[in-house]
Amino acid sequence: MNLLVFTKRVPATQEEEVRIIDDGKGIDLAKIPFKVNDWDNYSVEEAVRIAEKTEGTVTAISMGDRESDEVLRRAIAMGAHNGSLLQLTEPLHDPSQRAAIACNFIKKENIPFDLIFTGVQSEDDQFAAMGGILAAKLDLPYVSMVIGIDEIEKEYVIVRRELEGGLQEKIRVSLPAILAIQSGINEPRYVSIMGVRKASKVERKVYEAEVYNDAPRLIEVERWVYPPKKGGARMLAGELDAVCKDLLGILKEKGVYQ
Amino acid sequence: MSYALIVAEVRKGIFEERNLDSAGFASLLQKETVLLIPEGPYEIPPITERVLKVPVEEATFLNPLFMSTLIQKVTELKGKPDAVIFTSSSSGTELASYSAGKLGLPLITDLSAYDKERAVFFKSYYSDKIFGEFKVKGEGQFIATVRSGSFKEFAVTKIPATEAMEAVAAGGERTFLGYVEEEKGEIDITKAEFLLSVGRGIGSKDEIADYEELAGILRAVLSGSRPVIDKMWLPKVRQVGTSGKTVKPKVYLAMGISGAFQHIAGMKDSECIIAVNKDPEAPIFQYAHFGIVSDVHKVRDKLKDIVRG
């Protein structure tokens, strides 16, 4: 079985301050470390596991700047057989353009596939749209929020997708298809620095993404702003001992701790 | 006809409350509003001017292959909708992206706010640390998914005019086989009065035992945010958030949780929220009643020391 898996390099902003610059025209990411998008890590792991079971091939594809080679090397260290970088000269904020590039790349380069994996969303733009638009453009069935792959046959897969409140639905999908993988579907394997270094020896192809972009821009970012502040918390400040005593006082006042 | 098409989300025969957010956003567009819904015994509140009922089961209705065909059919009958609005849920997001791809329309997902004077859409980036102000290009038509809790107001109160649609062929390449219920665990976190919830910020699975100990001495129940459950540091039944449990304890003590929207949606109605995080800009401080900016482990250890005397 041939599997394609999209993997994206994103800024790790979880515990970092993200600053808007140039009067809202830009975001300063210079001091922020980058990493593989969390959901894509699960996708790569799932693709590698299926390839191991079916004696298949995993091709990792990344769309981004030259530095995105880093996530391809990581995917190869996890078990992907090869990698392709669709190199962008500037960030693309419209998911329809990203999907168009991916679609045209797969078609024009005759990349064989039975299953395409994307992460449910990427941590930076949170669009959660790449898999769906790509599936529509390639005229393939699509399932997102896939939290379990229960059966894999030549013609179809049976998957579970996550809904709200702990509910899941079971779905049968004909192949070829696109699945957007939810986090928690598996436990991604550990990748050592040595493993990533070794992966550097596997050839990764680089393509100019713009060559495959035939889609007009459908949405445009006017500017970046900070979200409006809500009421906000009353901050407990001071020495740690005093802060923790304040916290215990609140618990007592609320009647949950004596 | 100039109208906004709201795609209803229904699950197990229930009209989901988040449809009200879609209607709230639609009312800002100041166009006629039409609710698209599968036939069924749903109690539909009067939130739109018209209702279009489709003679299919809910699972077929929520199949993206079917939905994109259905919207095309509605377009043939009623003309192009100015907006097609979905909820920002597991299914809404799936349906919206596929439909946008099929119909070639601009897509804004997880819409948090809208400036009707400037026709600007606000969308979250970087876990709510930044918002992008977006404009759609072309003739102004678009598809959106609406974040739950973001749009509350709508003006329609009269009983809507209801119309039945003819059947449309369903996409057979994707078949619904049934729902799977989550297994019941030994602990029901929705019943706890005091939840001590841990997030990615605690660092590793090795730390869980110490937080469990703290929960024990404070007589709290230990729960967690999605990353903690994904990494299998805690079982799924302990997950707070949209894909886990919605909780409303007297006190929700969030330690090392930054406050992804999906988590906030599951705990925001707690009577008292106390957040501990080393990042002063963590979104959870916007929703908490009390906040502590500190290393969570230091707070944990100090609390233990004080309680033990």
Side-chain angles (χ1 to χ4, degrees), chain B residues 250-264:
Chain B
K250 270 190 181 173
V251 174
Y252 189 83
L253 174 56
M255 301 188 77
I257 293 176
S258 60
F261 176 72
Q262 291 83 350
H263 183 78
I264 300 292

Side-chain angles (χ1 to χ4, degrees), chain A residues 11 13-20 27 29 35 38 42 93-96 121 123-133 135-137 139-145 147 158 160-174 182-187 217-237 240-241 243-245 247-248 250-251 254-258, chain B residues 9 11-12 18 64-65 88-91 93-94 97-98 100-102 104-110 118 120 122-137 147 172-182 193-194 200-201 217-219 226 230-232 236 242-244 250-251 253 258 262 271-272 274 276-279 281 285-294 298-299 302-303 306-307:
Chain A
T13 55
Q14 205 76 28
E15 292 180 352
E16 305 286 337
E17 188 191 353
V18 188
R19 278 193 324 113
I20 294 170
I27 299 170
L29 298 172
K35 65 181 194 72
D38 207 23
Y42 290 94
H93 296 298
D94 186 350
S96 62
Q121 66 172 350
E123 292 168 68
D124 49 3
D125 66 28
Q126 302 168 233
F127 259 104
M130 166 81 169
I133 302 176
K137 284 181 183 288
D139 207 20
L140 296 176
Y142 170 59
V143 183
S144 82
M145 299 277 183
I147 194 75
I158 292 179
R160 275 172 291 117
R161 69 181 297 265
E162 189 179 71
L163 303 175
E164 283 70 23
L167 191 66
Q168 296 180 2
E169 57 180 336
K170 211 166 206 182
I171 304 230
R172 183 188 190 278
V173 201
S174 303
Q182 174 63 299
S183 59
I185 188 172
N186 53 40
E187 201 174 349
R217 194 177 292 175
L218 300 179
I219 57 172
E220 191 120 48
V221 184
E222 292 277 293
R223 62 180 182 137
W224 304 103
V225 293
Y226 295 109
K229 294 275 179 200
K230 295 189 171 55
R234 199 188 108 203
M235 303 309 283
L236 308 179
L240 187 60
D241 191 73
V243 164
C244 288
K245 281 178 180 159
L247 195 160
L248 289 169
I250 296 164
L251 300 181
K254 294 288 169 191
V256 295
Y257 173 71
Q258 300 312 313
Chain B
E9 190 167 338
R11 281 288 173 199
K12 299 185 120 185
R18 49 183 170 265
L65 282 64
S88 201
S89 65
S90 173
S91 285
T93 307
E94 184 184 64
S97 60
Y98 196 83
K102 277 287 175 198
L105 287 174
L107 173 69
I108 305 278
T109 58
D110 199 22
R118 294 162 54 219
V120 165
F122 292 82
K123 175 184 165 32
S124 159
Y125 264 62
Y126 306 117
S127 301
D128 283 1
K129 290 193 169 182
I130 301 274
F131 274 7
E133 284 189 10
F134 281 90
K135 279 213 160 191
V136 300
K137 305 195 85 172
R147 180 182 278 198
E173 294 166 303
R174 171 180 153 145
T175 316
F176 173 76
L177 301 177
Y179 288 116
V180 182
E181 296 279 354
E182 184 183 273
E193 282 205 330
F194 178 15
R200 193 200 307 254
I217 60 176
L218 290 176
R219 298 207 182 114
R226 171 145 213 149
D230 283 350
K231 291 173 196 291
M232 297 174 201
K236 176 82 180 161
T242 49
S243 52
K250 270 190 181 173
V251 174
L253 174 56
S258 60
Q262 291 83 350
E271 200 179 304
C272 175
I274 308 168
V276 184
N277 202 296
K278 73 174 179 188
D279 176 8
E281 298 299 320
F285 289 127
Q286 290 295 308
Y287 298 88
H289 302 93
F290 298 96
I292 298 170
V293 177
S294 176
K298 284 184 182 162
V299 172
K302 180 57 80 178
L303 283 171
I306 297 171
V307 172

Side-chain angles (χ1 to χ4, degrees), chain A residues 15, chain B residues 199-207 211 231 233 256 296-297:
Chain A
E15 292 180 352
Chain B
R200 193 200 307 254
I202 66 163
S204 78
K205 189 176 188 173
D206 299 341
E207 305 290 343
Y211 285 91
K231 291 173 196 291
W233 298 351
V296 279
H297 299 331

Side-chain angles (χ1 to χ4, degrees), chain A residues 7 49 52 81 127 165 171-172 197 253:
Chain A
T7 181
R49 286 185 189 193
E52 284 167 352
H81 298 80
F127 259 104
I171 304 230
R172 183 188 190 278
R197 261 191 219 145
E253 193 186 306

Side-chain angles (χ1 to χ4, degrees), chain A residues 82-93:
Chain A
N82 51 68
S84 293
L85 172 63
L86 288 161
Q87 194 171 315
L88 292 170
T89 46
E90 56 176 352
L92 282 184
H93 296 298

